[in-house]
PDB file of all heavy atoms in Angstrom:
ATOM      1  N   SER A 252      13.899 168.812  42.849  1.00  0.00           N
ATOM      2  CA  SER A 252      14.821 169.410  41.888  1.00  0.00           C
ATOM      3  C   SER A 252      15.659 168.297  41.248  1.00  0.00           C
ATOM      4  O   SER A 252      15.906 167.254  41.853  1.00  0.00           O
ATOM      5  CB  SER A 252      15.725 170.442  42.557  1.00  0.00           C
ATOM      6  OG  SER A 252      16.591 169.823  43.496  1.00  0.00           O
ATOM      7  N   TYR A 253      16.096 168.528  40.033  1.00  0.00           N
ATOM      8  CA  TYR A 253      16.832 167.533  39.261  1.00  0.00           C
ATOM      9  C   TYR A 253      18.206 167.275  39.868  1.00  0.00           C
ATOM     10  O   TYR A 253      18.949 168.212  40.192  1.00  0.00           O
ATOM     11  CB  TYR A 253      16.969 168.005  37.825  1.00  0.00           C
ATOM     12  CG  TYR A 253      17.850 167.149  36.947  1.00  0.00           C
ATOM     13  CD1 TYR A 253      17.409 165.902  36.502  1.00  0.00           C
ATOM     14  CD2 TYR A 253      19.114 167.589  36.564  1.00  0.00           C
ATOM     15  CE1 TYR A 253      18.212 165.115  35.691  1.00  0.00           C
ATOM     16  CE2 TYR A 253      19.916 166.812  35.755  1.00  0.00           C
ATOM     17  CZ  TYR A 253      19.472 165.572  35.325  1.00  0.00           C
ATOM     18  OH  TYR A 253      20.274 164.796  34.521  1.00  0.00           O
ATOM     19  N   ILE A 254      18.563 165.977  40.058  1.00  0.00           N
ATOM     20  CA  ILE A 254      19.874 165.599  40.582  1.00  0.00           C
ATOM     21  C   ILE A 254      20.781 165.116  39.464  1.00  0.00           C
ATOM     22  O   ILE A 254      21.904 165.581  39.293  1.00  0.00           O
ATOM     23  CB  ILE A 254      19.758 164.469  41.625  1.00  0.00           C
ATOM     24  CG1 ILE A 254      18.979 164.909  42.859  1.00  0.00           C
ATOM     25  CG2 ILE A 254      21.144 163.982  42.038  1.00  0.00           C
ATOM     26  CD1 ILE A 254      18.791 163.791  43.875  1.00  0.00           C
ATOM     27  N   GLY A 255      20.316 164.126  38.712  1.00  0.00           N
ATOM     28  CA  GLY A 255      21.132 163.501  37.673  1.00  0.00           C
ATOM     29  C   GLY A 255      20.373 162.347  37.044  1.00  0.00           C
ATOM     30  O   GLY A 255      19.139 162.340  37.038  1.00  0.00           O
ATOM     31  N   ASN A 256      21.110 161.373  36.543  1.00  0.00           N
ATOM     32  CA  ASN A 256      20.504 160.232  35.852  1.00  0.00           C
ATOM     33  C   ASN A 256      21.172 158.928  36.284  1.00  0.00           C
ATOM     34  O   ASN A 256      22.331 158.924  36.689  1.00  0.00           O
ATOM     35  CB  ASN A 256      20.653 160.369  34.335  1.00  0.00           C
ATOM     36  CG  ASN A 256      19.835 161.495  33.767  1.00  0.00           C
ATOM     37  OD1 ASN A 256      20.135 162.669  33.980  1.00  0.00           O
ATOM     38  ND2 ASN A 256      18.797 161.148  33.037  1.00  0.00           N
ATOM     39  N   PHE A 257      20.445 157.832  36.165  1.00  0.00           N
ATOM     40  CA  PHE A 257      21.056 156.521  36.366  1.00  0.00           C
ATOM     41  C   PHE A 257      22.117 156.313  35.297  1.00  0.00           C
ATOM     42  O   PHE A 257      21.862 156.476  34.107  1.00  0.00           O
ATOM     43  CB  PHE A 257      20.005 155.412  36.278  1.00  0.00           C
ATOM     44  CG  PHE A 257      19.213 155.227  37.540  1.00  0.00           C
ATOM     45  CD1 PHE A 257      17.977 155.844  37.691  1.00  0.00           C
ATOM     46  CD2 PHE A 257      19.707 154.455  38.580  1.00  0.00           C
ATOM     47  CE1 PHE A 257      17.246 155.681  38.856  1.00  0.00           C
ATOM     48  CE2 PHE A 257      18.983 154.283  39.745  1.00  0.00           C
ATOM     49  CZ  PHE A 257      17.749 154.897  39.890  1.00  0.00           C
ATOM     50  N   GLN A 258      23.310 155.932  35.747  1.00  0.00           N
ATOM     51  CA  GLN A 258      24.414 155.680  34.832  1.00  0.00           C
ATOM     52  C   GLN A 258      24.662 154.185  34.621  1.00  0.00           C
ATOM     53  O   GLN A 258      25.383 153.794  33.708  1.00  0.00           O
ATOM     54  CB  GLN A 258      25.688 156.332  35.374  1.00  0.00           C
ATOM     55  CG  GLN A 258      25.588 157.844  35.500  1.00  0.00           C
ATOM     56  CD  GLN A 258      25.323 158.508  34.164  1.00  0.00           C
ATOM     57  OE1 GLN A 258      26.120 158.359  33.231  1.00  0.00           O
ATOM     58  NE2 GLN A 258      24.228 159.232  34.054  1.00  0.00           N
ATOM     59  N   GLY A 259      24.076 153.379  35.485  1.00  0.00           N
ATOM     60  CA  GLY A 259      24.207 151.936  35.368  1.00  0.00           C
ATOM     61  C   GLY A 259      23.354 151.276  36.424  1.00  0.00           C
ATOM     62  O   GLY A 259      23.185 151.822  37.517  1.00  0.00           O
ATOM     63  N   SER A 260      22.778 150.120  36.105  1.00  0.00           N
ATOM     64  CA  SER A 260      21.981 149.403  37.096  1.00  0.00           C
ATOM     65  C   SER A 260      21.873 147.938  36.691  1.00  0.00           C
ATOM     66  O   SER A 260      22.041 147.589  35.513  1.00  0.00           O
ATOM     67  CB  SER A 260      20.575 150.002  37.226  1.00  0.00           C
ATOM     68  OG  SER A 260      19.817 149.804  36.043  1.00  0.00           O
ATOM     69  N   SER A 261      21.607 147.091  37.686  1.00  0.00           N
ATOM     70  CA  SER A 261      21.419 145.660  37.433  1.00  0.00           C
ATOM     71  C   SER A 261      20.412 145.109  38.426  1.00  0.00           C
ATOM     72  O   SER A 261      20.579 145.275  39.640  1.00  0.00           O
ATOM     73  CB  SER A 261      22.753 144.915  37.583  1.00  0.00           C
ATOM     74  OG  SER A 261      22.564 143.508  37.399  1.00  0.00           O
ATOM     75  N   PHE A 262      19.367 144.460  37.906  1.00  0.00           N
ATOM     76  CA  PHE A 262      18.364 143.771  38.713  1.00  0.00           C
ATOM     77  C   PHE A 262      17.439 142.997  37.781  1.00  0.00           C
ATOM     78  O   PHE A 262      16.990 143.543  36.778  1.00  0.00           O
ATOM     79  CB  PHE A 262      17.528 144.767  39.532  1.00  0.00           C
ATOM     80  CG  PHE A 262      16.482 144.064  40.373  1.00  0.00           C
ATOM     81  CD1 PHE A 262      16.822 143.495  41.594  1.00  0.00           C
ATOM     82  CD2 PHE A 262      15.170 143.957  39.926  1.00  0.00           C
ATOM     83  CE1 PHE A 262      15.868 142.836  42.354  1.00  0.00           C
ATOM     84  CE2 PHE A 262      14.217 143.297  40.685  1.00  0.00           C
ATOM     85  CZ  PHE A 262      14.570 142.740  41.899  1.00  0.00           C
ATOM     86  N   PRO A 263      17.120 141.699  38.049  1.00  0.00           N
ATOM     87  CA  PRO A 263      17.730 140.888  39.118  1.00  0.00           C
ATOM     88  C   PRO A 263      19.122 140.412  38.727  1.00  0.00           C
ATOM     89  O   PRO A 263      19.748 141.017  37.872  1.00  0.00           O
ATOM     90  CB  PRO A 263      16.736 139.729  39.243  1.00  0.00           C
ATOM     91  CG  PRO A 263      16.132 139.615  37.872  1.00  0.00           C
ATOM     92  CD  PRO A 263      16.067 141.012  37.327  1.00  0.00           C
ATOM     93  N   ASP A 264      19.560 139.311  39.324  1.00  0.00           N
ATOM     94  CA  ASP A 264      20.921 138.785  39.270  1.00  0.00           C
ATOM     95  C   ASP A 264      21.788 139.567  40.247  1.00  0.00           C
ATOM     96  O   ASP A 264      22.475 138.993  41.093  1.00  0.00           O
ATOM     97  CB  ASP A 264      21.503 138.813  37.864  1.00  0.00           C
ATOM     98  CG  ASP A 264      22.851 138.103  37.787  1.00  0.00           C
ATOM     99  OD1 ASP A 264      23.080 137.216  38.625  1.00  0.00           O
ATOM    100  OD2 ASP A 264      23.659 138.426  36.902  1.00  0.00           O
ATOM    101  N   ASN A 265      21.757 140.908  40.132  1.00  0.00           N
ATOM    102  CA  ASN A 265      22.347 141.803  41.120  1.00  0.00           C
ATOM    103  C   ASN A 265      21.253 142.773  41.557  1.00  0.00           C
ATOM    104  O   ASN A 265      20.154 142.777  41.002  1.00  0.00           O
ATOM    105  CB  ASN A 265      23.512 142.587  40.518  1.00  0.00           C
ATOM    106  CG  ASN A 265      24.569 141.684  39.919  1.00  0.00           C
ATOM    107  OD1 ASN A 265      25.278 140.988  40.623  1.00  0.00           O
ATOM    108  ND2 ASN A 265      24.671 141.687  38.601  1.00  0.00           N
ATOM    109  N   ASP A 266      21.563 143.627  42.532  1.00  0.00           N
ATOM    110  CA  ASP A 266      20.632 144.684  42.906  1.00  0.00           C
ATOM    111  C   ASP A 266      21.420 145.931  43.273  1.00  0.00           C
ATOM    112  O   ASP A 266      21.531 146.313  44.432  1.00  0.00           O
ATOM    113  CB  ASP A 266      19.728 144.258  44.061  1.00  0.00           C
ATOM    114  CG  ASP A 266      18.530 145.190  44.237  1.00  0.00           C
ATOM    115  OD1 ASP A 266      18.371 146.108  43.400  1.00  0.00           O
ATOM    116  OD2 ASP A 266      17.765 145.016  45.204  1.00  0.00           O
TER     117      ASP A 266
END
Side-chain angles (χ1 to χ4, degrees):
S252 66
Y253 173 74
I254 296 177
N256 292 71
F257 279 96
Q258 298 300 301
S260 67
S261 177
F262 180 81
D264 187 26
N265 304 290
D266 194 5

